[in-house]
Amino acid sequence: MLSDRIAAHGANPAMIFAALGDRTRLSLLTRLSDGQARSIAGLSADTDITRQAVTKHLRVLEEAGLVKSMRIGRESQFAFKPEPFVELRAYLDSVSRQWDDALSRLRTFVED
Amino acid sequence: MLSDRIAAHGANPAMIFAALGDRTRLSLLTRLSDGQARSIAGLSADTDITRQAVTKHLRVLEEAGLVKSMRIGRESQFAFKPEPFVELRAYLDSVSRQWDDALSRLRTFVED
DNA sequence: CATATCGGCAACCTCCTGGTTGCCCTTTAC
DNA sequence: GTAAAGGGCAACCAGGAGGTTGCCGATATG
């Protein structure tokens, strides 16, 4: 099952949220979300931080399952992985649903 | 406008994600998402951390706009605020859309 | 009024995070 | 084969995050 592989990677919602909770990582991920895999050097070119810093961010994204990497020759290519977004949306939906239910209960109570 | 008030509070997506990127805060928020406002003492009762720690987490959630507080007598009540969830969902959607577009472009390219 | 309850403030501690630098190994390019 | 490019590893650093304790002010409660 899909969620098993995610869980096996240890990526709970909090981990995924935490991985997204950084401007730099968010921008890296947004850039990768066009489906094109990019090398570390390629991703570092447009930023003002070091290649090493970019590498660390990419590792965080990878451990959260938001990105996958593969070594090709001397470069390692990083690619977007959409699966955790499903997880996240499910979480947001569950919270929103509980909220909406509370609202509608309140409404029926008031209307009584 | 709604997003203005959010922006005025300084809550960009990264901030909101960061606020959600902690197990304790996530659980506090989930508990509050039933629509019932709770006092700090009430929220601290079910946790194993200090009331002070809970207070700090609540402040983080409040600055991210995920929660609002009001002082009533000697207690301060914290209540769930759904607005940032809209913001978040919009962000997730934008990334997903870009991803889907990339996929469909790839598909038409392959089919050519 | 005396006392418990609720909560703010401040200091402090530890560990993690984001970032840097230096060095070295491997792979490509000339 | 030599040089340049890509990237890993490790050490290091400053600051922030999560948490604690101690104390004190204000509000309810008997």
Side-chain angles (χ1 to χ4, degrees):
Chain A
M1 197 191 296
L2 178 66
S3 58
D4 282 2
R5 265 184 293 143
I6 295 177
H9 234 277
N12 48 62
M15 270 194 66
I16 307 178
F17 280 129
L20 297 175
D22 179 283
R23 285 190 160 284
T24 307
R25 282 197 291 271
L26 220 45
S27 113
L28 285 174
L29 199 66
T30 305
R31 285 209 274 154
L32 285 175
S33 70
D34 69 353
Q36 275 213 335
R38 286 170 179 82
S39 71
I40 297 180
L43 286 167
S44 305
D46 303 329
T47 68
D48 49 351
I49 60 177
T50 324
R51 171 181 56 84
Q52 288 301 329
V54 173
T55 300
K56 286 192 186 179
H57 283 303
L58 288 173
R59 297 275 169 247
V60 173
L61 288 174
E62 189 172 19
E63 284 182 15
L66 288 159
V67 123
K68 64 169 178 282
S69 71
M70 49 180 173
R71 189 80 187 237
I72 299 181
R74 72 175 160 183
E75 338 188 292
S76 53
Q77 298 283 103
F78 282 81
F80 182 75
K81 258 187 70 181
E83 289 90 339
F85 278 69
V86 179
E87 187 115 341
L88 236 54
R89 176 178 285 278
Y91 179 79
L92 292 185
D93 282 350
S94 78
V95 174
S96 295
R97 199 175 320 117
Q98 198 179 355
W99 171 252
D100 290 341
D101 289 354
L103 275 197
S104 60
R105 268 198 303 277
L106 178 63
R107 202 172 298 122
T108 57
F109 174 75
V110 170
E111 284 172 354
D112 273 354
Chain B
M1 197 195 292
L2 178 66
S3 58
D4 280 2
R5 265 184 291 143
I6 294 178
H9 234 277
N12 47 61
M15 269 194 65
I16 307 178
F17 280 130
L20 296 175
D22 179 283
R23 286 188 159 284
T24 307
R25 282 196 292 270
L26 220 45
S27 114
L28 285 173
L29 199 67
T30 305
R31 286 209 272 154
L32 285 175
S33 70
D34 69 352
Q36 277 214 332
R38 288 170 178 80
S39 71
I40 297 180
L43 286 168
S44 305
D46 303 330
T47 69
D48 49 350
I49 61 177
T50 323
R51 172 181 55 85
Q52 287 301 330
V54 172
T55 300
K56 286 193 186 177
H57 283 302
L58 288 172
R59 297 272 170 252
V60 173
L61 288 174
E62 189 172 19
E63 285 182 15
L66 288 159
V67 123
K68 65 168 178 284
S69 72
M70 49 181 171
R71 189 83 186 232
I72 299 181
R74 72 176 159 180
E75 348 189 284
S76 54
Q77 299 283 99
F78 282 81
F80 182 77
K81 257 187 70 181
E83 288 90 339
F85 277 69
V86 179
E87 187 116 340
L88 237 52
R89 181 182 295 269
Y91 179 79
L92 292 185
D93 282 351
S94 78
V95 174
S96 296
R97 197 175 320 114
Q98 198 179 355
W99 171 251
D100 290 340
D101 289 355
L103 275 197
S104 60
R105 268 197 303 277
L106 179 63
R107 203 172 297 122
T108 57
F109 175 74
V110 169
E111 284 171 356
D112 273 353

